[in-house]
Amino acid sequence: MPELPEVECVRRSLERLARGARIVGVDVQRADVIARASVDAPAGRARSRRGAGPQARIPHAELLVGYTVKSVLRRGKQLAIVGEDAHARRCVLMAHLGMTGHFIHAPRDKALPDSDHVHVVWRLARPSSAERWTHRLAFRDPRRFGGLTTFPSVAALEEHWSQIGPDALAVGPDDLASAASGSRRAIKAVLLDQRAVAGVGNIYADEALFDGGIDPRTPASALNDAALERLSASIRRVLADAVAAGGSTIRSYSDADGTRGTAQHAHRVYGRAGAPCIRCSGPLASARVGQRATVWCPTCQPRLTARGKIRPGRLST
DNA sequence: CTGGTCTCCTGATCGC
DNA sequence: TGCGATCAGGAGACCA
């Protein structure tokens, strides 16, 4: 399940594989994974029901046919492929992977895996090749919680991205403070809210809260400056470590190269309900917090004291 | 406005 | 061995 580290690894693999290539053709198997592009098309793809609503008629420019891949950007969990045409006009294809979205890459002499749920296939040509395509890129998403959105310019993409919070790899205590102050939501719910911080999902929310020694159910507004400072550092550290490990492969995640991650071996609480805490050996607790399965250590992630302060965390590494 | 719940979707897993 | 029930979750829609 792609969160920031996994999406960052996909971004790097896409940039490696597709940068400089021209997109010479596209095959759309399922048009409803693509949101209709428009300048004011806001957050996410339109969720028109299958078969309903104006779908389909997708101008080629929006799928980047005829464009050369200039770069691949990321903000939080969202990816954006920036294309440029012969007149230096730019166009953007944004992808969010949802639960099961991923890209598959294959050179011409190698078939794409014969699998269901491949929704879009692009044909790419390396600069040295004329019009003949040399490799293909596919977007596959069995569960279809992900999707593709196009933007007519980089400015339009940035306008869209201005609606989500700062990228979690660079989140600071002030960012958390502005989202947390006056909020009675559980701190975990705040971390999952992409408008507050972009890129944290269920796995790394639990991991960061453990790292910071904070009970996930703590009302956000109850966190003092020290706790916010510690939590923002924990978020950055946990995510950066996971990026370095190639992301977490829980079920089937891999980057566009098919490379899997190993960060799942470093999870300290996620998926370990009832197992001994790696610090204190006590059993990890679990509950639903913010509609998500949540695991934490009741000892190392203490509840608030009577004075509304968090007891000092002892997790400094 | 805020915060909680529902919903979309398929594959993996579990109990019988 | 088969099969229905359950769970997983990102994020928009919806509601109190």
Side-chain angles (χ1 to χ4, degrees):
Chain A
M1 39 208 83
E3 299 181 27
L4 186 150
E6 293 74 37
V7 177
E8 173 61 17
C9 293
V10 172
R11 188 197 70 78
R12 293 177 184 181
S13 65
L14 284 179
E15 200 156 70
R16 196 168 59 238
L17 294 165
R19 188 176 203 160
R22 271 178 308 108
I23 299 174
V24 297
V26 68
D27 231 339
V28 177
Q29 311 289 338
R30 273 200 81 110
D32 66 359
V33 303
I34 302 167
R36 288 180 309 141
S38 85
V39 184
D40 47 34
R45 76 188 159 104
R47 263 204 181 273
S48 44
R49 286 297 87 233
R50 195 183 335 202
Q55 267 329 319
R57 214 164 307 258
I58 301 143
H60 279 171
E62 294 177 5
L63 291 163
L64 299 193
V65 171
Y67 287 74
T68 295
V69 175
K70 296 301 287 185
S71 59
V72 186
L73 311 177
R74 182 191 58 76
R75 169 94 168 244
K77 304 173 193 172
Q78 303 184 2
L79 274 175
I81 297 174
V82 178
E84 186 177 278
D85 70 7
H87 308 287
R89 282 189 294 250
R90 295 198 167 183
C91 186
V92 178
L93 175 74
M94 194 190 82
H96 58 89
L97 303 178
M99 282 291 294
T100 55
H102 57 151
F103 285 96
I104 306 168
H105 174 268
R108 181 165 186 137
D109 58 9
K110 198 174 161 223
L112 286 166
D114 183 26
S115 47
D116 293 335
H117 314 300
V118 171
H119 306 311
V120 180
V121 180
W122 292 268
R123 292 183 294 280
L124 309 180
R126 301 199 189 288
S128 52
S129 169
E131 281 303 307
R132 187 178 194 267
W133 61 273
T134 52
H135 49 144
R136 284 185 292 187
L137 190 65
F139 176 68
R140 178 171 185 267
D141 184 14
R143 210 165 294 182
R144 276 183 279 142
F145 280 15
L148 306 171
T149 310
T150 51
F151 294 91
S153 66
V154 175
L157 172 73
E158 281 167 359
E159 162 65 20
H160 168 68
W161 277 357
S162 73
Q163 295 167 33
I164 59 178
D167 191 75
L169 270 183
V171 70
D174 294 347
D175 300 316
L176 291 185
S178 60
S181 71
S183 173
R184 282 179 300 278
R185 301 157 87 190
I187 183 62
K188 178 172 179 181
V190 172
L191 296 187
L192 293 176
D193 184 344
Q194 301 301 296
R195 292 166 303 184
V197 194
V200 179
N202 199 43
I203 295 174
Y204 297 107
D206 279 9
E207 294 299 319
L209 287 161
F210 176 81
D211 192 83
I214 294 166
D215 188 313
R217 302 165 299 177
T218 307
S221 59
L223 297 184
N224 61 21
D225 289 348
L228 292 171
E229 177 80 47
R230 203 164 67 236
L231 181 55
S232 63
S234 292
I235 293 168
R236 297 192 304 269
R237 174 168 51 233
V238 161
L239 293 176
D241 286 351
V243 170
S248 298
T249 297
I250 300 293
R251 284 184 183 80
S252 59
Y253 158 79
S254 65
D255 70 14
D257 255 340
T259 306
R260 293 161 159 262
T262 61
Q264 67 277 12
H265 303 308
H267 294 169
R268 296 185 284 179
V269 286
Y270 179 83
R272 298 191 63 241
C277 170
I278 55 125
R279 278 195 67 252
C280 73
S281 304
L284 297 177
S286 64
R288 286 190 86 78
V289 179
Q291 335 307 126
R292 295 286 173 266
T294 300
V295 183
W296 75 98
C297 174
T299 303
C300 301
Q301 297 169 258
R303 302 183 71 110
L304 294 174
T305 67
R307 296 214 304 272
K309 293 189 169 181
I310 301 284
R311 275 182 263 146
R314 284 130 303 180
L315 291 173
S316 45
T317 49

